[in-house]
Amino acid sequence: MDNEFDGLAYHKERLRLLVWSGFFNAQDFEIEARDMRYDPDAAPHVDELRRYTLEQMAAKKEAEKSWPAVTDWDRLDGVFTALTQAKILTLHNAGYTQNDAHSDAWELVNTLPGDWRGFVFYHGQDVERAIEGLPLFLGFDAISRAPEAKTAVGMEFTGALRAAGFTIDWDGDPEKRPAITNLDWKKRTVWETR
């Protein structure tokens, strides 16, 4: 059958994106591999998926050697750091969907000390698209329910991104997600964690 699900191909693609996201290392893979042993589509392929993942990691380590000292992701992280210091909470790779990211952001706003004005995030699906060369979409919200508050947060963080050299596609509508259209996704991996 042409429509039969190919578990090996699916998991290879998922692992490729995880590796090239820069948020995933060998220790993360070991946790993933344990979980895959319970997935009937992945379990028969765990050894092959391990080899494939190690190949992808080796390729990424090699590619990182040729990257500029400061990548677009580093510049994005710098903007996120400055925004967080200005009381707009920022989250990299927050969950996998927009709902996950909103939930994570509100939880942090309600538990972290600080007088937060709003938050900005991108999630796992956004990262996957950025790896493929598509725009990086950003979600955001304001803490205040005042109608102009969300627009103000959007204008502030998109202005900071533009000042850092990013091209932003956004018409100012607070119900639309701005996108960085000129980001070359190159996030270095922290290969060893403690």
Side-chain angles (χ1 to χ4, degrees), residues 8-26:
L8 177 60
Y10 167 81
H11 285 286
K12 276 187 170 182
E13 178 62 6
R14 193 175 61 78
L15 288 163
R16 180 185 70 83
L17 291 168
L18 283 170
V19 168
W20 288 89
S21 74
F23 294 107
F24 187 83
N25 63 23

Side-chain angles (χ1 to χ4, degrees), residues 44-148:
H45 309 294
V46 170
D47 291 338
E48 185 172 349
L49 290 168
R50 180 184 309 284
R51 281 190 298 278
Y52 176 78
T53 302
L54 292 174
E55 289 169 4
Q56 289 295 307
M57 288 181 177
K60 185 169 188 288
K61 283 180 185 179
E62 189 61 31
E64 287 180 2
K65 293 176 185 176
S66 67
W67 290 358
V70 177
T71 67
D72 286 351
W73 188 90
D74 296 320
R75 290 188 304 120
L76 174 64
D77 186 49
V79 171
F80 270 31
T81 298
L83 288 168
T84 296
Q85 291 169 351
K87 300 301 182 186
I88 296 176
L89 180 70
T90 55
L91 296 105
H92 290 286
N93 197 32
Y96 189 66
T97 66
Q98 204 164 184
N99 285 341
D100 294 341
H102 271 282
S103 177
D104 290 352
W106 280 111
E107 181 178 336
L108 288 170
V109 161
N110 290 318
T111 57
L112 290 176
D115 188 21
W116 300 107
R117 296 181 296 122
F119 57 81
V120 180
F121 63 80
Y122 58 88
H123 54 68
Q125 289 176 345
D126 297 324
V127 172
E128 290 176 357
R129 288 188 289 267
I131 291 167
E132 301 298 347
L134 298 171
L136 177 70
F137 283 87
L138 301 161
F140 69 102
D141 208 341
I143 306 311
S144 168
R145 296 293 95 200
E148 65 280 0

Side-chain angles (χ1 to χ4, degrees), residues 17-48:
L17 291 168
L18 283 170
V19 168
W20 288 89
S21 74
F23 294 107
F24 187 83
N25 63 23
Q27 289 169 302
D28 296 317
F29 176 76
E30 291 310 318
I31 294 166
E32 191 78 16
R34 282 195 302 268
D35 291 344
M36 285 190 299
R37 293 193 186 285
Y38 297 101
D39 179 342
D41 294 319
H45 309 294
V46 170
D47 291 338
E48 185 172 349

